């Protein structure tokens, strides 16, 4: 019976310490290697003593942290100062740091240790123990750990949090990022996170946390050192590609802003991109700051753009039907030539290069290669040249087979087929196909079918390498203009615009008449821009036409003078208005005054007499 109970007793005992100490606050402890003053064969105790201390502190609720790898000097020499220990604790996020030494003399040893609160202002607590014989060392280490527990788990409350040394950044803006509040239990780990949050604002060169013991707990001080503000920004080495002001216009950092290294690096990248767009791909941009009074600094960007890097080779892969020379004529991008400094050949434009891929694909599709695909151009930058390679999958080449029209025919099939250009092509041509669709749409639109749907059905015969095309037509309903709305004309009267239109309300829709109407409005020369929009009306067969115009100045004034043998000195001038009072009338006044003669001419023209396209005019002049 006793043998059966033993495992149960062991399990209870194992879990009991964790249950007891769960009520204690978690404390992060960093234990540094100990200094060993003894014979060489005891050097292993440098790390064994810290490990033993950690094993005894863990059951009491301490979290033992790893030694920060990035923090090496001077810890590696075990000559640890209070500042060294504090800095190591900050790097690892520890609440407390332990370090110490063991000195061996004869058969006796002395074990000394220090326990430092990382963010506290108090001196470290000192612990020591002596013993005889190496066999008694584990007991003394455990005794030392017991003494440390009494200090580690003393609960302290935060009374207040203060921000110090800030000049421009508001206290509330800083406190907003600090999660630790007055009344919280003091936690070095939480304060370490708060320190990182404040520093991440990017406004400070340094952030420190100090504490002060007061009745009831601790005062916490965040001491900040603000970065300087930018007094002036200058750019050197910009020209002649750009001038200094053009560079500044593209910067996001401005005078008066905080000197932030991350923002500066982003602006360096922006400057480099500007020069790379002009093919200076080896450009290097550096910066320097010049400290000034009142925590200000001047920021200077120094540009070394280097030489232009031009395209040396353009190569194609997979093109079997067309030679490289032929394909190079299709694209806008070109290799550098002998006169590249004049012709700008060889300059890389990524926008042009992306369009070139589309142009190559269109070229193949217009020459019978229905399934042709062009890959994204690959750019290889070298120190003094650029190489571009483009992969092409041609696929089979298809000839034009049977061309037919089906669906709602309002004209004879023979007449419509005669309008189709693709039937005269040897190879399938996507551009010609699109022109045919536009032509058929225009024919139906001129008969009032504004919403006709014409789509090609393409049937490929991979064995004969022939493609048959059928134009499927759905004419829809005939559409009539329900209303014509004119807007944007602040000066020109509606009737002046409407009398140029060849389409009318309640009239049948006509695409050709609408196009001619817009051309006539442009010829008036009254408008900078004319926008046309058509929307469905109150029924499926009704349409609303919206014409929005942007007016421009229609008046002119000129003035001059001169000298001649007959008139000596004379002055002349003219004033004209091509859209008088917005009625479309023309008024022109010209005059010349000399020492012997005076001439005045006043003319008036009405282009639409009695509201019909009948022009009438009058002219008054005086020559004396």
């Amino acid at each position: 019976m006793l043998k059966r109970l033993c495992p149960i007793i062991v399990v209870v005992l194992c879990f009991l310490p964790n249950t007891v100490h769960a009520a204690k606050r978690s404390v992060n402890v960093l234990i540094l290697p100990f200094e060993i003053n003894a014979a060489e064969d005891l050097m292993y105790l440098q790390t064994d003593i810290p490990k033993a201390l950690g094993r005894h502190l863990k059951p009491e609720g301490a979290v033992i942290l790893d030694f920060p790898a990035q923090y090496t000097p001077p810890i590696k020499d075990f000559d640890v100062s209070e500042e060294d220990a504090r800095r190591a604790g900050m790097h690892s996020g520890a609440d407390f740091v332990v370090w110490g030494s063991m000195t061996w003399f004869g058969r006796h040893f002395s074990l000394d240790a220090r326990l430092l609160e990382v963010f506290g202002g108090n001196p470290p607590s000192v612990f020591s123990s002596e013993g005889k014989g190496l066999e008694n060392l584990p007991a003394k280490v455990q005794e030392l750990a017991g003494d440390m527990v009494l200090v580690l788990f003393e609960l302290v409350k935060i009374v207040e949090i203060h921000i110090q040394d800030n000049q421009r950044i508001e206290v509330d803006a800083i406190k907003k990022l600090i999660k630790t509040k007055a009344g919280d239990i003091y936690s070095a780990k939480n304060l370490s996170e708060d320190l990182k949050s404040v520093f991440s604002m990017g406004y400070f060169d340094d952030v420190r946390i100090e504490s002060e013991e007061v009745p009831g707990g601790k005062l916490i001080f965040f001491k900040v050192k603000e970065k300087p503000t930018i007094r002036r920004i200058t750019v050197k080495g910009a020209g002649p590609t750009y001038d200094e002001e053009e560079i500044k216009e593209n910067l996001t950092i401005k005078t008066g802003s905080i000197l932030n290294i991350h923002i500066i690096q982003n602006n360096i990248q922006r400057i480099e991109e500007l020069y790379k767009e002009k093919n200076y791909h080896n450009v290097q941009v550096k910066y320097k700051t010049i400290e000034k009074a009142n925590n200000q600094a001047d920021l200077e960007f120094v540009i070394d753009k280097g030489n232009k890097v031009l395209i040396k080779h353009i190569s194609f892969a997979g093109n079997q039907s067309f030679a490289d020379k032929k394909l190079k004529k299709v694209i806008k991008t070109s290799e550098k030539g002998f006169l590249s400094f004049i012709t700008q050949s060889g300059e890389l434009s990524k926008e042009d290069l992306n369009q070139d891929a589309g142009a190559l694909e269109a070229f193949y599709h217009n020459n019978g290669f229905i399934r042709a695909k062009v890959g994204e151009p690959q750019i290889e930058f070298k120190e003094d040249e650029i190489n571009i390679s483009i992969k092409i999958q041609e696929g089979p080449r298809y000839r034009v087979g049977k061309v037919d029209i089906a669906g709602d025919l309002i004209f004879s099939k023979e007449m419509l087929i005669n309008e189709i250009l693709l039937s005269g092509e040897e190879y399938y041509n996507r551009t010609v196909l699109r022109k045919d669709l536009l032509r058929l749409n225009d024919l139906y639109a001129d008969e009032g079918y504004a919403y006709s749907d014409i789509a090609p059905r393409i049937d490929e015969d991979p064995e004969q390498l022939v493609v048959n095309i059928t134009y499927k037509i759905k004419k829809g309903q005939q559409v009539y203009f329900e209303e014509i709305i004119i807007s944007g004309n602040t000066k020109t009267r509606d009737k002046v615009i409407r009398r140029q239109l060849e389409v009318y309300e309640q009239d049948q829709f006509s695409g050709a008449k609408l196009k001619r109407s817009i051309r006539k409005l442009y010829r008036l020369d009254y408008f900078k821009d004319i926008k046309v929009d058509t929307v469905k009306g109150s029924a499926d067969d009704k349409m609303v036409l919206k014409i929005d115009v942007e007016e421009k100045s229609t008046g002119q004034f000129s003035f001059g003078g001169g000298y001649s043998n007959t008139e000596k000195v004379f002055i002349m001038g003219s004033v004209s208005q091509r859209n008088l009072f917005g009625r479309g009338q023309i008024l022109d006044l010209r005059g010349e005054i000399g020492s012997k003669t005076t001439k005045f001419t006043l003319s008036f023209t009405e282009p639409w007499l009695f509201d019909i396209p009948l022009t009438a005019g009058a002219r008054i002049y005086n020559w004396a």
Side-chain angles (χ1 to χ4, degrees):
M1 183 68 178
L2 184 61
K3 290 182 180 179
R4 292 180 182 178
L5 289 176
C6 282
I8 299 175
I9 295 171
V10 171
V11 171
V12 172
L13 290 176
C14 287
F15 280 90
L16 185 59
N18 287 335
T19 306
V20 172
H21 293 295
K24 293 183 180 180
R25 68 186 179 105
S26 176
V27 175
N28 295 328
V29 180
L30 173 66
I31 306 176
L32 302 179
F34 269 48
E35 180 183 4
I36 304 300
N37 300 307
E40 191 67 29
D41 59 347
L42 295 178
M43 288 299 105
Y44 65 91
L45 295 176
Q46 292 173 347
T47 55
D48 279 9
I49 292 175
K51 288 179 181 178
L53 277 173
R55 284 195 298 271
H56 292 303
L57 293 176
K58 272 185 179 181
E60 301 298 328
V63 177
I64 307 303
L65 303 178
D66 293 328
F67 184 73
Q70 72 272 26
Y71 188 82
T72 49
I75 301 300
K76 63 181 182 181
D77 299 325
F78 309 107
D79 183 17
V80 183
S81 67
E82 183 177 324
E83 186 61 25
D84 293 331
R86 193 183 304 276
R87 191 178 296 113
M90 288 182 178
H91 273 275
S92 59
D95 297 288
F96 291 87
V97 179
V98 176
W99 78 100
S101 64
M102 190 199 79
T103 303
W104 192 271
F105 43 94
R107 284 187 48 79
H108 294 78
F109 63 85
S110 173
L111 195 60
D112 303 286
R114 287 175 171 77
L115 177 67
L116 175 69
E117 188 178 7
V118 173
F119 291 107
N122 298 323
S125 301
V126 179
F127 306 89
S128 62
S129 181
E130 293 183 359
K132 182 180 179 181
L134 195 59
E135 64 275 12
N136 293 315
L137 180 59
K140 294 299 180 181
V141 171
Q142 184 175 5
E143 181 182 313
L144 215 62
D147 293 337
M148 290 180 181
V149 167
L150 300 177
V151 177
L152 287 174
F153 293 99
E154 179 184 358
L155 298 180
V156 178
K157 284 189 176 182
I158 295 174
V159 179
E160 284 185 76
I161 297 176
H162 297 281
I163 312 296
Q164 292 184 338
D165 300 333
N166 57 308
Q167 299 175 6
R168 295 181 302 272
I169 310 303
E170 297 290 337
V171 170
D172 290 342
I174 299 173
K175 281 191 172 182
K176 188 177 180 180
L177 296 176
I178 299 174
K179 294 181 179 179
T180 303
K181 307 298 180 186
D184 290 351
I185 298 298
Y186 176 85
S187 167
K189 179 181 178 181
N190 293 342
L191 287 174
S192 179
E193 292 299 320
D194 290 335
L195 183 146
K196 293 175 183 177
S197 297
V198 174
F199 192 80
S200 68
M201 294 176 73
Y203 299 146
F204 308 109
D205 278 331
D206 188 28
V207 180
R208 292 176 178 270
I209 298 178
E210 295 182 2
S211 65
E212 179 183 330
E213 299 283 349
V214 295
K218 288 180 179 286
L219 295 178
I220 303 299
F221 300 93
F222 283 79
K223 294 189 174 183
V224 299
K225 181 183 178 183
E226 291 183 350
K227 292 181 177 180
T229 54
I230 299 173
R231 190 190 70 153
R232 185 173 63 176
I233 298 174
T234 57
V235 179
K236 285 188 176 181
T241 311
Y242 298 99
D243 60 35
E244 184 175 2
E245 291 306 314
E246 286 178 309
I247 298 295
K248 287 182 180 180
E249 287 173 3
N250 284 277
L251 299 180
T252 59
I253 193 167
K254 305 295 180 184
T255 56
S257 59
I258 301 294
L259 191 66
N260 188 311
I261 184 61
H262 300 295
I263 297 177
I264 291 175
Q265 292 294 343
N266 288 338
N267 280 274
I268 285 177
Q269 292 179 6
R270 293 174 71 93
I271 296 172
E272 289 178 346
E273 286 302 319
L274 285 175
Y275 281 88
K276 287 178 181 179
E277 289 175 4
K278 298 292 185 180
N279 291 290
Y280 292 95
H281 295 281
N282 295 323
V283 61
Q284 291 186 342
V285 181
K286 298 180 180 180
Y287 79 96
K288 61 181 180 180
T289 57
I290 304 162
E291 293 186 5
K292 298 294 179 180
N294 301 318
N295 199 26
Q296 290 184 316
D298 290 346
L299 174 62
E300 182 178 87
F301 292 99
V302 182
I303 302 171
D304 179 10
K305 65 178 183 294
N307 295 321
K308 273 191 175 183
V309 182
L310 301 179
I311 300 169
K312 185 175 182 180
H313 295 296
I314 299 176
S315 60
F316 302 91
N319 54 314
Q320 298 176 353
S321 302
F322 301 101
D324 286 13
K325 185 177 181 180
K326 176 68 175 178
L327 297 181
K328 287 177 184 178
K329 291 180 180 179
V330 175
I331 62 178
K332 190 174 181 180
T333 304
S334 62
E335 297 167 339
K336 70 176 181 179
F338 179 71
L339 298 176
S340 60
F341 62 94
I342 298 175
T343 63
Q344 295 184 336
S345 61
E347 294 202 0
L348 174 65
S349 167
K350 291 186 178 179
E351 182 179 351
D352 287 346
L353 194 57
N354 289 333
Q355 292 175 359
D356 287 340
L360 284 170
E361 197 164 279
F363 172 77
Y364 271 91
H365 290 171
N366 291 340
N367 283 277
F369 295 90
I370 297 177
R371 300 300 175 194
K373 294 181 180 180
V374 177
E376 183 179 348
Q378 300 299 310
I379 306 172
E380 180 187 12
F381 291 97
K382 292 188 176 180
E383 186 175 350
D384 57 351
E385 65 182 48
I386 301 171
N387 296 318
I388 296 173
S389 60
I390 303 174
K391 291 184 178 180
I392 299 172
Q393 293 180 3
E394 289 186 344
R397 192 177 192 182
Y398 286 83
R399 295 178 183 272
V400 176
K402 183 181 178 182
V403 177
D404 198 6
I405 294 179
D408 302 327
L409 305 184
I410 62 174
F411 305 100
S412 67
K413 181 179 287 191
E414 292 75 19
M415 179 267 189
L416 290 174
I417 288 179
N418 287 334
E419 294 290 331
I420 294 174
L421 300 175
L422 189 60
S423 57
E425 296 287 322
E426 180 181 3
Y427 293 100
Y428 172 83
N429 189 310
R430 187 175 64 180
T431 298
V432 174
L433 176 66
R434 288 175 178 171
K435 288 180 180 179
D436 287 342
L437 293 174
L438 291 174
R439 175 62 179 153
L440 292 173
N441 269 301
D442 286 344
L443 287 173
Y444 273 73
D446 287 343
E447 297 299 321
Y449 298 97
Y451 303 121
S452 61
D453 182 16
I454 304 176
R457 188 182 71 199
I458 301 173
D459 298 320
E460 301 172 28
D461 185 344
E463 293 183 359
Q464 300 296 324
L465 294 181
V466 170
V467 60
N468 301 313
I469 299 101
T470 302
Y471 295 88
K472 302 279 289 184
I473 300 176
K474 294 180 181 178
K475 65 180 181 180
Q477 287 184 303
Q478 281 186 311
V479 177
Y480 296 84
F481 288 112
E482 181 178 21
E483 186 180 5
I484 299 176
I485 301 173
I486 297 172
S487 60
N489 52 320
T490 57
K491 177 182 177 182
T492 307
R493 303 194 179 196
D494 269 23
K495 76 171 186 177
V496 174
I497 296 174
R498 289 180 185 272
R499 68 194 185 192
Q500 300 297 322
L501 303 180
E502 294 186 18
V503 294
Y504 310 98
E505 292 175 347
Q506 310 309 319
D507 191 18
Q508 183 177 284
F509 176 87
S510 171
K513 288 181 179 180
L514 182 57
K515 290 177 183 177
R516 288 198 299 268
S517 299
I518 302 307
R519 284 198 296 266
K520 289 172 71 175
L521 285 176
Y522 271 112
R523 280 200 296 269
L524 287 175
D525 200 26
Y526 297 165
F527 312 110
K528 287 182 183 178
D529 190 23
I530 302 171
K531 296 178 180 177
V532 180
D533 189 20
T534 55
V535 296
K536 284 192 174 182
S538 58
D540 289 342
D541 62 343
K542 301 292 184 183
M543 174 186 287
V544 176
L545 173 62
K546 295 181 178 181
I547 300 175
D548 183 31
V549 299
E550 182 182 352
E551 294 181 313
K552 65 180 180 181
S553 175
T554 55
Q556 289 182 335
F557 172 77
S558 63
F559 179 80
Y563 175 86
S564 70
N565 292 330
T566 57
E567 290 290 338
K568 301 300 182 184
V569 178
F570 64 92
I571 300 172
M572 58 184 178
S574 68
V575 178
S576 65
Q577 174 56 253
R578 294 181 290 105
N579 188 15
L580 186 64
F581 306 123
R583 297 174 180 270
Q585 299 163 338
I586 303 170
L587 182 67
D588 186 54
L589 174 62
R590 299 174 184 275
E592 182 179 321
I593 302 174
S595 58
K596 295 182 179 181
T597 61
T598 302
K599 298 178 182 180
F600 290 100
T601 303
L602 177 64
S603 64
F604 173 81
T605 303
E606 170 58 73
W608 281 70
L609 187 64
F610 308 125
D611 284 332
I612 60 174
L614 177 64
T615 301
R619 186 182 184 192
I620 302 173
Y621 60 90
N622 178 29
W623 289 9

